[in-house]
Amino acid sequence: MTMDKDQALHDVMELLHEIRNTDPERRYFESITTAKGRRVYEVSPLEHAQSMAESAEDLLGDAFNLD
């Protein structure tokens, strides 16, 4: 998947902003979609930040063909 580099950098900056503002007192939720439907579950603030960091890595990898 090739993505516009400017858009990828913009999206990564938004993710970094959210990671920086992760509140240890806040409740975070993530969702997954399976064959049986959508499931929402609570994650820790650390897991939330790690998930966003992984997304940022994926965006940069796709945009700049990094493996």
Side-chain angles (χ1 to χ4, degrees):
M1 170 181 165
T2 304
M3 152 178 268
D4 178 74
K5 291 176 180 159
D6 290 334
Q7 182 62 48
L9 290 174
H10 175 74
D11 293 347
V12 167
M13 290 300 294
E14 286 182 359
L15 286 167
L16 290 173
H17 177 77
E18 184 146 347
I19 291 168
R20 186 180 67 220
N21 291 313
T22 298
D23 181 355
E25 303 297 321
R26 184 174 163 204
R27 295 174 65 187
Y28 291 93
F29 298 89
E30 292 189 4
S31 66
I32 58 172
T33 303
T34 66
K36 294 183 178 183
R38 188 168 170 247
R39 182 175 154 235
V40 176
Y41 56 97
E42 187 171 358
V43 296
S44 72
L46 176 59
E47 289 171 316
H48 175 70
Q50 288 173 328
S51 175
M52 288 187 295
E54 188 175 303
S55 294
E57 288 174 345
D58 291 344
L59 283 169
L60 289 174
D62 289 346
F64 293 91
N65 297 318
L66 305 173
D67 291 328

Coordinates of all heavy atoms in Angstrom, one line a residue:
M1 N 0.9 -1.2 0.0 CA 0.0 0.0 0.0 C 0.9 1.2 0.0 O 1.7 1.4 0.9 CB -0.9 0.0 1.3 CG -1.6 1.2 1.5 SD -2.6 1.0 3.1 CE -3.0 2.6 3.4
T2 N 0.7 2.1 -1.0 CA 1.5 3.3 -1.0 C 0.6 4.4 -0.6 O -0.5 4.6 -1.0 CB 2.0 3.6 -2.5 OG1 2.8 2.5 -2.9 CG2 2.8 4.8 -2.5
M3 N 1.1 5.2 0.3 CA 0.3 6.3 0.8 C 1.1 7.6 0.6 O 2.3 7.7 0.5 CB 0.1 6.0 2.3 CG 0.0 7.2 3.2 SD -0.3 6.6 4.9 CE -2.1 6.5 4.9
D4 N 0.3 8.7 0.5 CA 0.9 10.0 0.3 C 1.8 10.3 1.6 O 1.3 10.2 2.7 CB -0.2 11.0 0.2 CG 0.3 12.4 0.1 OD1 0.9 12.8 -1.0 OD2 0.2 13.2 1.1
K5 N 3.0 10.7 1.3 CA 4.0 10.9 2.4 C 3.5 12.1 3.3 O 3.6 12.0 4.6 CB 5.4 11.2 1.9 CG 5.9 9.9 1.3 CD 7.3 10.1 0.7 CE 7.8 8.8 0.1 NZ 8.8 8.9 -0.8
D6 N 3.0 13.2 2.7 CA 2.6 14.3 3.5 C 1.4 13.9 4.4 O 1.3 14.3 5.6 CB 2.2 15.5 2.6 CG 3.4 16.1 1.9 OD1 4.5 16.0 2.5 OD2 3.2 16.7 0.8
Q7 N 0.5 13.1 3.9 CA -0.7 12.7 4.7 C -0.2 11.8 5.8 O -0.7 11.9 6.9 CB -1.7 12.0 3.8 CG -3.0 11.6 4.5 CD -3.7 12.7 5.1 OE1 -4.0 13.7 4.4 NE2 -4.1 12.6 6.4
A8 N 0.7 10.9 5.5 CA 1.2 10.0 6.5 C 1.9 10.8 7.7 O 1.7 10.5 8.8 CB 2.2 9.0 5.9
L9 N 2.7 11.8 7.3 CA 3.3 12.6 8.3 C 2.3 13.4 9.2 O 2.4 13.5 10.4 CB 4.4 13.6 7.7 CG 5.6 12.9 7.1 CD1 6.5 13.9 6.4 CD2 6.4 12.2 8.2
H10 N 1.3 13.9 8.5 CA 0.2 14.6 9.2 C -0.5 13.6 10.2 O -0.7 14.0 11.4 CB -0.8 15.1 8.2 CG -2.0 15.7 8.8 ND1 -1.9 17.0 9.5 CD2 -3.3 15.3 9.0 CE1 -3.1 17.2 10.0 NE2 -3.9 16.2 9.7
D11 N -0.8 12.4 9.7 CA -1.5 11.4 10.6 C -0.6 11.0 11.8 O -1.1 10.8 12.9 CB -1.9 10.2 9.8 CG -3.0 10.5 8.8 OD1 -3.6 11.6 8.8 OD2 -3.2 9.6 7.9
V12 N 0.7 10.8 11.5 CA 1.6 10.5 12.6 C 1.7 11.6 13.6 O 1.8 11.3 14.8 CB 3.0 10.1 12.0 CG1 4.1 10.0 13.1 CG2 2.9 8.8 11.2
M13 N 1.8 12.8 13.2 CA 1.8 14.0 14.1 C 0.6 14.0 15.0 O 0.6 14.2 16.2 CB 1.9 15.3 13.3 CG 3.3 15.5 12.7 SD 4.7 15.5 13.9 CE 4.3 16.9 14.8
E14 N -0.6 13.7 14.4 CA -1.8 13.6 15.2 C -1.7 12.4 16.2 O -2.1 12.6 17.4 CB -3.0 13.4 14.3 CG -3.5 14.6 13.6 CD -4.7 14.4 12.7 OE1 -5.3 13.3 12.7 OE2 -5.1 15.4 12.1
L15 N -1.2 11.3 15.8 CA -1.0 10.2 16.8 C -0.1 10.6 17.9 O -0.3 10.3 19.1 CB -0.6 8.9 16.0 CG -1.6 8.2 15.2 CD1 -1.0 7.2 14.3 CD2 -2.7 7.6 16.1
L16 N 1.1 11.2 17.5 CA 2.0 11.6 18.5 C 1.4 12.6 19.5 O 1.7 12.5 20.7 CB 3.3 12.2 17.9 CG 4.1 11.2 17.1 CD1 5.2 12.0 16.4 CD2 4.7 10.2 18.0
H17 N 0.6 13.5 19.0 CA -0.1 14.5 19.9 C -1.0 13.7 20.9 O -1.0 14.0 22.1 CB -0.9 15.5 19.1 CG -1.7 16.4 19.9 ND1 -1.1 17.5 20.5 CD2 -3.0 16.4 20.2 CE1 -2.1 18.2 21.2 NE2 -3.2 17.5 21.0
E18 N -1.7 12.7 20.4 CA -2.6 12.0 21.3 C -1.8 11.1 22.3 O -2.2 11.0 23.4 CB -3.6 11.1 20.5 CG -4.5 10.4 21.4 CD -5.9 10.2 20.8 OE1 -6.2 10.8 19.8 OE2 -6.6 9.4 21.4
I19 N -0.7 10.6 21.8 CA 0.1 9.8 22.7 C 0.6 10.7 23.9 O 0.6 10.3 25.0 CB 1.3 9.1 22.0 CG1 0.8 8.0 21.0 CG2 2.3 8.6 23.0 CD1 1.8 7.5 20.1
R20 N 1.1 11.8 23.5 CA 1.6 12.8 24.5 C 0.6 13.2 25.5 O 0.9 13.4 26.7 CB 2.2 14.0 23.8 CG 2.9 15.0 24.7 CD 3.4 16.2 24.0 NE 2.3 17.0 23.6 CZ 2.3 17.7 22.4 NH1 3.3 17.6 21.6 NH2 1.2 18.4 22.0
N21 N -0.7 13.2 25.1 CA -1.8 13.7 25.9 C -2.5 12.5 26.6 O -3.6 12.7 27.1 CB -2.7 14.6 25.2 CG -2.1 15.9 24.8 OD1 -1.5 16.5 25.7 ND2 -2.2 16.3 23.6
T22 N -2.0 11.3 26.5 CA -2.6 10.1 27.2 C -2.7 10.4 28.7 O -1.7 10.7 29.3 CB -1.8 8.8 26.9 OG1 -1.8 8.6 25.5 CG2 -2.4 7.7 27.6
D23 N -3.9 10.3 29.2 CA -4.1 10.6 30.6 C -4.1 9.3 31.4 O -5.0 8.4 31.1 CB -5.5 11.3 30.7 CG -5.8 11.7 32.1 OD1 -5.1 11.3 33.1 OD2 -6.9 12.4 32.3
P24 N -3.2 9.1 32.4 CA -3.2 7.9 33.1 C -4.5 7.6 34.0 O -4.7 6.5 34.4 CB -2.0 8.0 34.0 CG -1.6 9.5 34.0 CD -2.2 10.1 32.8
E25 N -5.3 8.7 34.2 CA -6.5 8.5 35.0 C -7.7 8.2 34.1 O -8.8 7.9 34.6 CB -6.7 9.8 35.8 CG -5.6 10.2 36.7 CD -5.3 9.1 37.8 OE1 -6.3 8.6 38.3 OE2 -4.2 8.8 38.1
R26 N -7.6 8.3 32.8 CA -8.7 8.2 31.9 C -8.9 6.7 31.5 O -8.0 5.9 31.5 CB -8.5 9.0 30.7 CG -9.6 9.0 29.7 CD -9.4 9.9 28.5 NE -10.3 9.6 27.5 CZ -10.1 9.9 26.2 NH1 -9.1 10.6 25.8 NH2 -11.0 9.5 25.3
R27 N -10.1 6.3 31.2 CA -10.4 5.0 30.7 C -10.4 5.0 29.2 O -11.0 5.9 28.6 CB -11.8 4.5 31.2 CG -11.9 4.4 32.7 CD -13.3 4.1 33.2 NE -13.7 2.8 32.7 CZ -14.9 2.3 32.8 NH1 -15.8 3.0 33.4 NH2 -15.2 1.1 32.3
Y28 N -9.7 4.1 28.6 CA -9.6 4.0 27.1 C -10.2 2.7 26.7 O -10.2 1.7 27.3 CB -8.1 4.0 26.7 CG -7.5 5.4 26.9 CD1 -6.8 5.7 28.1 CD2 -7.7 6.4 26.0 CE1 -6.3 6.9 28.3 CE2 -7.1 7.6 26.2 CZ -6.4 7.9 27.4 OH -5.9 9.1 27.6
F29 N -10.8 2.7 25.5 CA -11.5 1.6 24.9 C -11.0 1.4 23.5 O -10.7 2.3 22.8 CB -13.0 1.8 24.9 CG -13.6 1.9 26.3 CD1 -13.7 3.1 26.9 CD2 -13.9 0.8 27.0 CE1 -14.2 3.3 28.2 CE2 -14.4 0.9 28.3 CZ -14.6 2.1 28.9
E30 N -10.9 0.1 23.1 CA -10.5 -0.2 21.7 C -11.6 -1.2 21.2 O -12.3 -1.8 22.0 CB -9.1 -0.8 21.6 CG -8.1 0.2 22.0 CD -6.7 -0.3 21.7 OE1 -6.5 -1.4 21.2 OE2 -5.7 0.5 22.0
S31 N -11.7 -1.4 19.9 CA -12.7 -2.3 19.4 C -12.0 -3.2 18.3 O -11.0 -2.8 17.7 CB -13.9 -1.6 18.8 OG -13.5 -0.8 17.7
I32 N -12.6 -4.4 18.2 CA -12.2 -5.3 17.1 C -13.4 -5.8 16.5 O -14.5 -5.9 17.1 CB -11.3 -6.4 17.6 CG1 -12.1 -7.3 18.7 CG2 -10.0 -6.0 18.2 CD1 -11.4 -8.5 19.1
T33 N -13.3 -6.1 15.2 CA -14.4 -6.6 14.5 C -14.1 -8.1 14.1 O -13.1 -8.3 13.5 CB -14.7 -5.8 13.2 OG1 -15.0 -4.4 13.6 CG2 -15.9 -6.3 12.5
T34 N -15.0 -9.0 14.5 CA -14.8 -10.4 14.2 C -16.0 -10.8 13.3 O -16.9 -10.1 13.0 CB -14.8 -11.2 15.5 OG1 -16.0 -11.1 16.1 CG2 -13.7 -10.7 16.4
A35 N -16.0 -12.1 13.0 CA -17.1 -12.7 12.2 C -18.4 -12.6 13.0 O -19.5 -12.5 12.4 CB -16.8 -14.1 11.9
K36 N -18.3 -12.5 14.3 CA -19.5 -12.5 15.2 C -19.9 -11.0 15.5 O -20.9 -10.8 16.2 CB -19.3 -13.2 16.5 CG -19.1 -14.7 16.3 CD -18.9 -15.4 17.6 CE -18.8 -16.9 17.4 NZ -18.7 -17.6 18.7
G37 N -19.2 -10.1 15.0 CA -19.6 -8.7 15.2 C -18.5 -7.9 15.8 O -17.3 -8.3 15.9
R38 N -18.8 -6.7 16.3 CA -17.9 -5.8 16.9 C -17.8 -6.0 18.4 O -18.8 -6.1 19.0 CB -18.3 -4.3 16.5 CG -17.3 -3.3 16.9 CD -17.7 -2.0 16.3 NE -16.9 -0.9 16.8 CZ -17.3 0.1 17.6 NH1 -18.6 0.2 17.9 NH2 -16.5 1.0 18.0
R39 N -16.6 -6.0 18.9 CA -16.4 -6.1 20.4 C -15.6 -5.0 20.9 O -14.5 -4.6 20.3 CB -15.7 -7.4 20.6 CG -15.4 -7.7 22.1 CD -14.8 -9.1 22.3 NE -14.1 -9.1 23.5 CZ -12.8 -9.4 23.7 NH1 -12.1 -9.8 22.6 NH2 -12.3 -9.3 24.8
V40 N -16.0 -4.3 22.0 CA -15.3 -3.2 22.6 C -14.8 -3.7 23.9 O -15.5 -4.3 24.7 CB -16.2 -2.0 22.7 CG1 -15.5 -0.9 23.4 CG2 -16.8 -1.5 21.4
Y41 N -13.5 -3.3 24.2 CA -13.0 -3.7 25.5 C -12.1 -2.6 26.0 O -11.6 -1.7 25.3 CB -12.1 -5.0 25.3 CG -11.1 -5.0 24.3 CD1 -9.7 -4.7 24.7 CD2 -11.3 -5.1 22.9 CE1 -8.7 -4.6 23.7 CE2 -10.3 -5.1 22.0 CZ -9.1 -4.8 22.4 OH -8.1 -4.8 21.4
E42 N -11.9 -2.6 27.3 CA -11.1 -1.5 28.0 C -9.6 -1.9 27.9 O -9.3 -3.1 28.1 CB -11.6 -1.3 29.4 CG -10.9 -0.2 30.1 CD -11.5 0.2 31.5 OE1 -12.5 -0.5 31.9 OE2 -11.0 1.1 32.1
V43 N -8.8 -0.9 27.7 CA -7.3 -1.1 27.7 C -6.7 -0.1 28.7 O -7.3 1.0 28.9 CB -6.7 -1.0 26.3 CG1 -7.2 -2.1 25.4 CG2 -6.9 0.4 25.7
S44 N -5.5 -0.4 29.2 CA -4.8 0.6 30.1 C -4.3 1.8 29.2 O -4.2 1.7 28.0 CB -3.7 -0.1 30.7 OG -2.6 -0.4 29.8
P45 N -4.1 2.9 29.9 CA -3.5 4.0 29.2 C -2.2 3.7 28.5 O -2.0 4.1 27.3 CB -3.3 5.1 30.3 CG -4.3 4.7 31.3 CD -4.4 3.2 31.3
L46 N -1.4 2.8 29.1 CA -0.1 2.4 28.4 C -0.4 1.6 27.1 O 0.2 1.8 26.1 CB 0.7 1.5 29.4 CG 2.0 1.0 28.8 CD1 2.9 2.1 28.3 CD2 2.7 0.1 29.8
E47 N -1.4 0.6 27.2 CA -1.7 -0.2 26.0 C -2.3 0.7 24.9 O -2.0 0.5 23.8 CB -2.8 -1.2 26.4 CG -2.2 -2.3 27.2 CD -3.3 -3.3 27.8 OE1 -4.4 -2.8 28.2 OE2 -3.1 -4.5 27.7
H48 N -3.1 1.7 25.3 CA -3.6 2.7 24.4 C -2.5 3.5 23.7 O -2.5 3.5 22.4 CB -4.5 3.7 25.1 CG -5.1 4.8 24.3 ND1 -6.0 4.6 23.3 CD2 -4.8 6.1 24.3 CE1 -6.3 5.7 22.8 NE2 -5.6 6.7 23.3
A49 N -1.5 4.0 24.4 CA -0.4 4.7 23.8 C 0.4 3.8 22.9 O 0.9 4.2 21.8 CB 0.4 5.3 24.9
Q50 N 0.6 2.5 23.4 CA 1.4 1.6 22.6 C 0.7 1.3 21.3 O 1.4 1.1 20.2 CB 1.7 0.3 23.4 CG 2.7 0.5 24.5 CD 2.8 -0.7 25.4 OE1 1.8 -1.5 25.6 NE2 4.0 -1.0 25.9
S51 N -0.6 1.1 21.3 CA -1.4 0.9 20.1 C -1.2 2.0 19.1 O -1.1 1.8 17.9 CB -2.8 0.6 20.5 OG -3.6 0.4 19.3
M52 N -1.3 3.2 19.6 CA -1.2 4.4 18.7 C 0.2 4.5 18.1 O 0.4 4.8 17.0 CB -1.6 5.7 19.4 CG -3.1 5.8 19.7 SD -3.5 7.4 20.4 CE -2.7 7.3 21.9
A53 N 1.2 4.2 19.0 CA 2.6 4.2 18.5 C 2.8 3.1 17.4 O 3.5 3.4 16.4 CB 3.6 3.9 19.6
E54 N 2.2 2.0 17.5 CA 2.3 1.0 16.5 C 1.6 1.4 15.2 O 2.2 1.2 14.1 CB 1.6 -0.3 17.0 CG 1.8 -1.5 16.1 CD 1.2 -2.8 16.7 OE1 1.6 -3.1 17.8 OE2 0.3 -3.4 16.0
S55 N 0.5 2.1 15.3 CA -0.2 2.7 14.1 C 0.7 3.7 13.4 O 0.8 3.7 12.2 CB -1.5 3.3 14.5 OG -2.4 2.4 15.0
A56 N 1.4 4.5 14.2 CA 2.3 5.5 13.7 C 3.4 4.8 12.9 O 3.8 5.3 11.8 CB 2.8 6.4 14.8
E57 N 4.0 3.8 13.5 CA 5.1 3.0 12.8 C 4.6 2.4 11.5 O 5.3 2.5 10.5 CB 5.6 1.9 13.7 CG 6.4 2.4 14.9 CD 6.8 1.2 15.9 OE1 6.2 0.1 15.7 OE2 7.6 1.4 16.7
D58 N 3.4 1.9 11.5 CA 2.8 1.3 10.3 C 2.6 2.4 9.2 O 2.9 2.1 8.0 CB 1.5 0.6 10.6 CG 1.6 -0.6 11.5 OD1 2.8 -1.2 11.6 OD2 0.6 -1.1 12.0
L59 N 2.1 3.5 9.6 CA 1.9 4.6 8.6 C 3.2 5.0 8.0 O 3.3 5.2 6.8 CB 1.2 5.8 9.3 CG -0.2 5.7 9.6 CD1 -0.7 6.9 10.5 CD2 -1.0 5.8 8.3
L60 N 4.2 5.2 8.8 CA 5.5 5.6 8.3 C 6.1 4.5 7.4 O 6.7 4.8 6.3 CB 6.5 6.0 9.4 CG 6.2 7.3 10.1 CD1 7.1 7.4 11.3 CD2 6.3 8.5 9.2
G61 N 6.0 3.3 7.8 CA 6.5 2.2 7.1 C 5.9 2.1 5.7 O 6.5 1.8 4.7
D62 N 4.5 2.3 5.7 CA 3.8 2.2 4.4 C 4.2 3.4 3.5 O 4.4 3.2 2.3 CB 2.3 2.2 4.6 CG 1.8 0.9 5.2 OD1 2.6 -0.1 5.2 OD2 0.6 0.9 5.7
A63 N 4.3 4.6 4.0 CA 4.5 5.8 3.2 C 5.9 5.8 2.7 O 6.2 6.3 1.6 CB 4.2 7.0 4.1
F64 N 6.9 5.3 3.5 CA 8.3 5.4 3.1 C 8.9 4.1 2.7 O 10.1 3.9 2.7 CB 9.1 6.1 4.2 CG 8.7 7.5 4.4 CD1 7.7 7.9 5.3 CD2 9.3 8.6 3.6 CE1 7.4 9.2 5.5 CE2 8.9 9.9 3.8 CZ 8.0 10.2 4.7
N65 N 8.1 3.1 2.5 CA 8.5 1.7 2.1 C 9.6 1.2 3.1 O 10.6 0.7 2.6 CB 9.0 1.7 0.7 CG 7.9 2.1 -0.3 OD1 6.8 1.6 -0.1 ND2 8.2 2.9 -1.3
L66 N 9.3 1.3 4.4 CA 10.3 0.8 5.4 C 9.8 -0.6 5.8 O 8.6 -0.8 6.0 CB 10.3 1.7 6.6 CG 10.6 3.2 6.3 CD1 10.4 4.0 7.6 CD2 12.0 3.3 5.8
D67 N 10.7 -1.5 6.0 CA 10.4 -2.8 6.4 C 11.0 -3.1 7.8 O 11.9 -2.8 8.2 CB 10.8 -3.9 5.4 CG 9.9 -3.8 4.2 OD1 8.8 -3.4 4.2 OD2 10.5 -4.1 3.1

